[in-house]
Amino acid sequence: MKQNILKSLVWAGLFAASFSSCDLDVVPPDSMAAENFWQTEKDAQYALNEIYARMPDFIDGMSYEMYTDNAHSHKPWEGAWEAFQQGGITAGQSSGYDYGVIRLVNDFLEKSDGCTMDDALRERMKAEARFFRAWAYQEMIVKFGGVPLVTTLLAYDAPNVERDDIETVRTFILNELQEVADILPDSYDGGNLQETGRVNRAAALALRARAALYAGNYTEAEASATAVINEGHHSLFKVTTLTAAQQQEADEMDQWVDFDALGIDRDAFMRGVFSYEGIWQDDNGAVRNNPEVLLSHEHMNDANATDWARYQYIRPSQLVRGYSSYEPLPDLVQAYWNIDGQTLPAKVDPDTDAANYAALYQQVSDAIDQQSYIAKVPTMDLKSDAYLQQFRNRDSRLYASILLPFKGWHVTDFGTFYYRWNPDNAGIDGNESWTGFSWRKLVALRGYDTGWGENYSYDDFPVLRYAEVLLTAAEAHVQNSGYDATAAGWLNQLRERCGMPDVPASFPSKEAALDFIRNERRIELAGEGQRFADMRRYGNDYCKQVMTGISYAPNKYLIVNKQWNDRGMLLPIPTSAMDYNPLLEQNPGY
């Protein structure tokens, strides 16, 4: 789809349209009236491209991580996330209630019938559009519960409609995605309207598996997930050799992992770090030709089709142009397994942690500038430091996902880099993390200077990947049949990729197996936006447990005092939506 992104139809009031000047078939402006559109195959192509442009992206996933115990934002003007974490969100702050994509799809399904084009192509393009409508509804019911199910193009003066119950919408989503999967091809061969970035059968089944899992329909979740697995078109991304920059980090990992003492295969472990990290980086992985990616939101090296938020919001400022607006919480850092792959680290005392960090940071107090810090850190005995013990001998995905203080990362657009967290900046510097940690996973390294003095990413962003399918299959199988070699085999594919030990062969109970899979899912999918839905399907008691209590930074700065409110199982219907449609009934507690 990449060559067609700039050919998207940009709607004004859903009728007017304009096209990029790079398109050689530009329609003269005087003939852009609605009655002149919906006549040709190209018209249908432009309209479908606009639907693709609205697919979820980095900002959608990360935003909903910050409604959980995974992530945080210390800038209240960017979103109501911290307010929600403290139980205080209101209907004036809610977001995500949006029928824009749904209306575009309904418009496409009705009006593309007037286009002169091949009927088989029309049916396939309609299936692509229906996929995104189902996804839009899935996103809304997770956040709001039942919503009005609209499948036709309503007139602007149409009567208001009430909310449909959530089961009605869920049934629609599952039926729709199955029908779509039966229409879409397994793959595309390239060329116009055959671009490899289009929705295929596996993507539709993967989204259906997710929707069924969220709904507690484990039979359908396992059926759709295993269909993707058994059809064999996808696999996990793995690197086989390390680059020079990756090898530099591997050579330093003795400061963090006792490979020899614990009998850890260093090569497998380090390939695991970079296999996992490489999913998100075009330069260091293979996003555009990655067998793990079922669907990605594609970007171009052009100011009109880049990802501004991803490039800047999660980068630490030391990497240049980083805002550290979205930062991982210590709660997430604690969730990564020890290197045995089945136990969790002991919780640290905040006072002891603060004292230990102060002593460690004092060693670099004279390294004022970044280059001095970079020169100083490799000379330090980090292996013996008291504060850093909690991060030693941990799951490889921790090192690939979170920037830890003093940890080296050399595969960057900055070059050699050691993460610095200054305790004096917590609560003060708006462009530094206030949690003590920054994201490494998801960080974009390919920047494009638009000439406005800002950098944008043109890395593609995977929105559906095979790892999630394996996790869904394993969890649904346990719910349906219990924990056995089949479930373990799917989970071990993830473990083998990241260089970690196999999962346990058995558990004392079904609930113990599910608890294990829930944590495996949390760390494998961290930052991708699924923790929000997962917490809610685990139940209100679970939410209350993980969303109550104080999260401290390494210097005992109070990041957020999490206070769960039972109404948080759903977000409020926005006041603006209720003003437009008085028949909407507000969710409980708002």
Side-chain angles (χ1 to χ4, degrees):
M1 290 294 291
K2 189 168 297 292
Q3 62 262 50
N4 285 330
I5 289 178
L6 291 182
K7 297 181 180 179
S8 292
L9 179 62
V10 181
W11 298 75
L14 303 177
F15 286 115
S18 61
F19 299 96
S20 166
S21 60
C22 70
D23 193 308
L24 299 180
D25 297 318
V26 171
V27 181
D30 63 354
S31 63
M32 287 302 295
E35 57 269 19
N36 294 323
F37 198 70
W38 297 114
Q39 295 182 8
T40 68
E41 179 183 290
K42 267 197 177 298
D43 292 341
Q45 178 184 358
Y46 292 144
L48 185 59
N49 284 348
E50 176 62 13
I51 295 169
Y52 268 92
R54 306 291 187 93
M55 83 164 71
D57 205 347
F58 158 75
I59 192 67
D60 300 287
M62 184 57 69
S63 291
Y64 284 90
E65 290 287 296
M66 293 184 293
Y67 282 119
T68 76
D69 57 344
N70 272 4
H72 176 261
S73 173
H74 58 261
K75 298 177 180 177
W77 57 88
E78 291 181 351
W81 306 298
E82 190 176 66
F84 178 86
Q85 290 175 329
Q86 298 176 98
I89 194 172
T90 70
Q93 298 169 298
S94 184
S95 62
Y97 189 90
D98 186 357
Y99 275 78
V101 169
I102 293 166
R103 184 171 179 86
L104 284 173
V105 173
N106 290 342
D107 195 46
F108 183 91
L109 296 179
E110 177 179 310
K111 295 181 179 176
S112 61
D113 285 339
C115 296
T116 302
M117 59 188 299
D118 178 74
D119 287 338
L121 175 61
R122 188 195 334 269
E123 181 186 31
R124 194 208 78 196
M125 292 174 73
K126 282 186 175 183
E128 294 173 67
R130 291 165 64 190
F131 169 88
F132 289 110
R133 182 176 63 180
W135 198 339
Y137 274 119
Q138 176 62 28
E139 292 287 299
M140 284 210 291
I141 63 171
V142 164
K143 297 163 190 171
F144 304 104
V147 294
L149 181 58
V150 181
T151 59
T152 59
L153 185 62
L154 298 180
Y156 284 95
D157 58 353
N160 289 320
V161 292
E162 297 180 341
R163 298 172 67 171
D164 285 280
D165 66 87
I166 192 170
E167 291 304 323
T168 297
V169 186
R170 282 173 172 165
T171 299
F172 169 80
I173 292 167
L174 293 181
N175 290 342
E176 190 80 343
L177 289 173
Q178 185 61 65
E179 292 180 14
V180 163
D182 291 340
I183 294 171
L184 293 175
D186 291 325
S187 62
Y188 297 87
D189 57 13
N192 186 50
L193 295 176
Q194 292 290 332
E195 296 86 357
T196 56
R198 291 186 177 276
V199 180
N200 59 19
R201 171 177 167 81
L205 288 173
L207 183 60
R208 187 176 190 273
R210 178 193 294 182
L213 185 72
Y214 285 0
N217 187 338
Y218 303 115
T219 299
E220 292 302 318
E222 184 174 3
S224 290
T226 54
V228 177
I229 295 169
N230 294 337
E231 289 172 13
H233 300 297
H234 294 275
S235 60
L236 298 175
F237 173 72
K238 301 174 186 177
V239 300
T240 55
T241 58
L242 303 187
T243 66
Q246 291 169 342
Q247 188 60 52
Q248 182 179 354
E249 182 170 350
D251 293 340
E252 297 175 347
M253 281 300 289
D254 284 311
Q255 294 269 39
W256 301 85
V257 177
D258 296 318
F259 291 107
D260 294 337
L262 296 176
I264 305 299
D265 185 329
R266 177 197 298 267
D267 290 338
F269 188 89
M270 293 311 301
R271 286 196 304 271
V273 169
F274 294 111
S275 293
Y276 186 75
E277 178 179 70
I279 301 166
W280 311 99
Q281 299 167 356
D282 281 358
D283 281 346
N284 304 310
V287 174
R288 292 173 188 159
N289 297 289
N290 187 335
E292 183 167 347
V293 176
L294 281 69
L295 182 66
S296 63
H297 191 131
E298 298 186 339
H299 300 101
M300 294 178 68
N301 189 353
D302 185 282
N304 295 310
T306 51
D307 183 352
W308 178 76
R310 184 182 172 204
Y311 190 78
Q312 298 195 290
Y313 279 21
I314 60 173
R315 287 169 64 91
S317 62
Q318 300 99 319
L319 281 182
V320 183
R321 302 198 188 282
Y323 288 172
S324 291
S325 292
Y326 309 152
E327 54 216 359
L329 278 170
D331 311 52
L332 173 61
V333 177
Q334 282 287 113
Y336 286 85
W337 304 113
N338 289 321
I339 206 163
D340 63 5
Q342 55 185 299
T343 62
L344 293 173
K347 292 188 176 180
V348 296
D349 173 70
D351 292 313
T352 302
D353 215 31
N356 288 339
Y357 191 79
L360 174 61
Y361 196 75
Q362 180 62 32
Q363 297 181 47
V364 293
S365 59
D366 60 341
I368 305 301
D369 61 90
Q370 179 73 355
Q371 291 302 324
S372 298
Y373 181 81
I374 288 173
K376 175 76 173 180
V377 173
T379 70
M380 299 170 64
D381 180 16
L382 302 179
K383 184 174 183 177
S384 303
D385 182 78
Y387 170 75
L388 294 178
Q389 293 308 303
Q390 62 192 298
F391 309 118
R392 300 191 72 253
N393 298 317
R394 299 285 297 278
D395 191 299
S396 66
R397 288 166 291 189
L398 172 63
Y399 306 116
S401 300
I402 310 294
L403 290 175
L404 307 168
F406 296 88
K407 179 71 180 66
W409 187 28
H410 309 298
V411 185
T412 75
D413 53 353
F414 180 88
T416 293
F417 175 76
Y418 295 91
Y419 181 57
R420 181 175 195 158
W421 188 76
N422 186 343
D424 297 332
N425 287 338
I428 298 173
D429 188 338
N431 287 340
E432 286 293 339
S433 168
W434 288 8
T435 71
F437 310 97
S438 286
W439 291 103
R440 172 168 167 169
K441 175 184 178 179
L442 312 178
V443 170
L445 301 181
R446 293 156 58 93
Y448 171 74
D449 191 342
T450 65
W452 291 82
E454 301 283 357
N455 279 79
Y456 296 63
S457 167
Y458 52 95
D459 279 359
D460 293 343
F461 185 78
V463 292
L464 287 171
R465 61 188 184 97
Y466 187 63
E468 179 193 344
V469 174
L470 293 171
L471 287 163
T472 297
E475 182 178 347
H477 184 78
V478 172
Q479 291 282 10
N480 292 328
S481 308
Y483 186 82
D484 57 19
T486 298
W490 288 325
L491 297 174
N492 281 334
Q493 289 186 47
L494 298 172
R495 289 299 185 85
E496 190 274 332
R497 184 264 290 282
C498 65
M500 288 288 291
D502 283 353
V503 299
S506 63
F507 290 93
S509 66
K510 175 180 175 179
E511 284 306 312
L514 290 173
D515 286 343
F516 180 89
I517 293 172
R518 287 172 179 175
N519 198 65
E520 187 75 8
R521 181 179 176 90
R522 180 182 184 184
I523 61 179
E524 175 68 32
L525 302 179
E528 299 177 49
Q530 297 201 52
R531 179 69 174 162
F532 181 89
D534 285 341
M535 284 170 46
R536 281 147 186 80
R537 64 189 181 87
Y538 302 155
N540 187 71
D541 289 345
Y542 179 89
C543 292
K544 186 174 183 178
Q545 175 187 348
V546 302
M547 291 294 289
T548 301
I550 296 174
S551 295
Y552 289 110
N555 65 343
K556 208 184 174 183
Y557 171 76
L558 195 161
I559 304 164
V560 61
N561 185 4
K562 301 186 296 297
Q563 301 177 45
W564 177 252
N565 189 315
D566 293 352
R567 68 180 186 174
M569 292 293 287
L570 294 172
L571 294 180
I573 302 293
T575 301
S576 57
M578 298 184 71
D579 288 343
Y580 280 115
N581 182 3
L583 294 184
L584 293 177
E585 183 179 347
Q586 184 57 277
N587 283 325
Y590 295 104

